[in-house]
Amino acid sequence: MTTTLTRAERPYDPADLSSHEFWEGTAEDREKTFAELRANRPISWHRPVKNGMFEDPNDQGFWAVVRHADLVEVTRRPGDFLSGKGITFESFPPEMLDAAQGFIAMDPPRHTKIRRLMAAAFTPKQLARIDEHIVANSRRIVDDIIRKGADKGQIDFVTEVASLVPMNNICDMVGIPEEHRRTVAYESQFADGWRDPRLLQGAEPLARLAQTIMTVHGIAHELIGQRRSKPENDLMTALVQAEVDGERFTDDDTSSIFALLIIAGNDTTRQSISHGMKALTDFPEQRAWLMEDLEGRLPMAVEEIIRWATPIMTFRRTAAHDTELGGHHITEGDKVIMFYSSANRDPEVFDHPERLDLSRWPNKHVAFGGGGIHHCLGAQLARRQITATFRELLTRLPDIRTVGEPELGNGNFFHTVMSMQAEFTPENAR
Amino acid sequence: MRIVVDRTKCSSIGLCEATAPDIFEVGPDGALNILMDDVPAGRRIDLEQACENCPTQALSIED
């Protein structure tokens, strides 16, 4: 049955996906709500998210898409469900979208051209060529924690491992020099962490976000100038030399793509490595199974770790016109939110989705997207980094494990681990 | 069998390459290359899957 109520008339679903408390909890808490919605009300209308910022008086709510099949369908209907109006719950001002979200918040035909251009740097063959750098970066990070943790064997896993892996690899690819690396990795956290008092440290969210954009664009503009006068073999050079429809990118276009690359490059793989380390600690029998044939089983294990982590929990689309989805009438302009965390726990697709099963194969998780035009550009890069890091960690620090519960973020976009302690026996390190 | 690429639609997302890396390849310039001019009939399932998976419906099979 199709209902044709207007946005203002639609009743809100009783399940809570919008409160601050919902997003402050754990993935397991949220899964209880998702399970009920998947079983009974797979497409449901909800009140707008509460966050105290970017609350738009015209924002009457959002559709929640929680099943795997529906998420794939929305992803694969880019003409009906647009990205160009924003990719998060919040109605960010358009100038902020332009400055920080690059081609992820774009629609065809412009998206098509920029995506094709970027694809060249991320092809499987190109990544195979840089794999030795990826492996070397993970090796150096493990060398450093062995040295630093030599007396006690205790580290903050996020600071010392999970955040450094993607920081070094994406900065190598883009061409960001050492002196800017920690800054861009730190600033990228504000993309979703602008609501987190632990990160804000008293700053006003909008002002802090603006500061992030200025800092990142400042570094981008500096690099643009340098690459124009002296080209290098990196993505920044490719961007300043690129032409789309016979035109060069403006410096602001290039900066926006730069911002997207560092945010998407840093804040995703970081979470997968953190959640992966926690999972390997929590499920020792799975870890033992993996260690019986680490090289042979790592590819399967990495896919399951990525499903388990689901580093991006949600993406939004906006209805381009009145349309149908799963028997519901969707009105032009409606926000449609896809819940990746929920789709990756859909029992229609995964046998015992609540179990970490490192031997799960095929693993049809949607952590990199549902196979649409915005499918993760860096999927192969992420897989290689996670593989290299766990290979190093598990072989050289055989008893590395997390301690206690991680401190989690409170956002609705990245599945953030803010900090997490880990320990290992220094005498066993090799 | 032959694969036809609609160049106006193809965004080089590479899901076809993930399905059949010996037939499809996103090249160093970001354009999709077809590595087999004449695809043997035994590979029809792979080709159909690549066409089906293509996010931009840029691929078709010509018998």
Side-chain angles (χ1 to χ4, degrees), chain A residues 339-376:
Chain A
F339 288 78
Y340 294 74
S341 326
S342 176
N344 277 343
R345 295 283 290 263
D346 189 340
E348 294 281 322
V349 177
F350 304 100
D351 227 15
H352 286 290
E354 76 289 357
R355 289 185 193 159
L356 179 83
D357 176 2
L358 298 180
S359 70
R360 196 182 290 282
W361 200 263
N363 194 329
K364 295 187 177 299
H365 71 75
V366 287
F368 293 125
I373 61 170
H374 293 281
H375 200 80
C376 180

Side-chain angles (χ1 to χ4, degrees), chain A residues 76-87:
Chain A
R76 300 197 59 172
R77 288 171 58 186
D80 295 332
F81 300 109
L82 304 175
S83 293
K85 311 269 181 204
I87 51 157

Side-chain angles (χ1 to χ4, degrees), chain A residues 241-253:
Chain A
Q241 293 177 344
E243 283 184 15
V244 170
D245 292 335
E247 280 182 28
R248 292 273 161 98
F249 288 126
T250 65
D251 288 3
D252 282 344
D253 286 343

Side-chain angles (χ1 to χ4, degrees), chain A residues 76 78 111-113 115-117 119-121 123-125 129 364 371-377 380, chain B residues 7-13 15 17 21 25-31 51-57:
Chain A
R76 300 197 59 172
H111 171 267
T112 309
K113 291 167 184 159
R115 173 78 195 217
R116 200 184 291 148
L117 187 73
T123 64
K125 285 189 183 63
R129 269 194 286 278
K364 295 187 177 299
I373 61 170
H374 293 281
H375 200 80
C376 180
L377 177 66
Q380 298 305 330
Chain B
R7 301 278 168 192
T8 61
K9 289 182 178 169
C10 175
S11 310
S12 300
I13 292 160
L15 296 179
E17 185 169 354
E25 177 199 56
V26 177
D29 57 352
C51 295
E52 159 71 27
N53 286 350
C54 177
T56 59
Q57 284 95 49

Side-chain angles (χ1 to χ4, degrees), chain B:
Chain B
M1 262 182 323
R2 224 166 64 82
I3 275 281
V4 182
V5 187
D6 182 338
R7 301 278 168 192
T8 61
K9 289 182 178 169
C10 175
S11 310
S12 300
I13 292 160
L15 296 179
C16 51
E17 185 169 354
T19 308
D22 58 331
I23 302 177
F24 302 94
E25 177 199 56
V26 177
D29 57 352
L32 181 67
N33 298 327
I34 304 296
L35 305 176
M36 262 183 225
D37 285 341
D38 187 21
V39 183
R43 301 295 301 279
R44 179 171 280 278
I45 289 174
D46 288 339
L47 290 194
E48 283 174 354
Q49 192 166 15
C51 295
E52 159 71 27
N53 286 350
C54 177
T56 59
Q57 284 95 49
L59 300 176
S60 52
I61 301 173
E62 205 177 76
D63 286 298

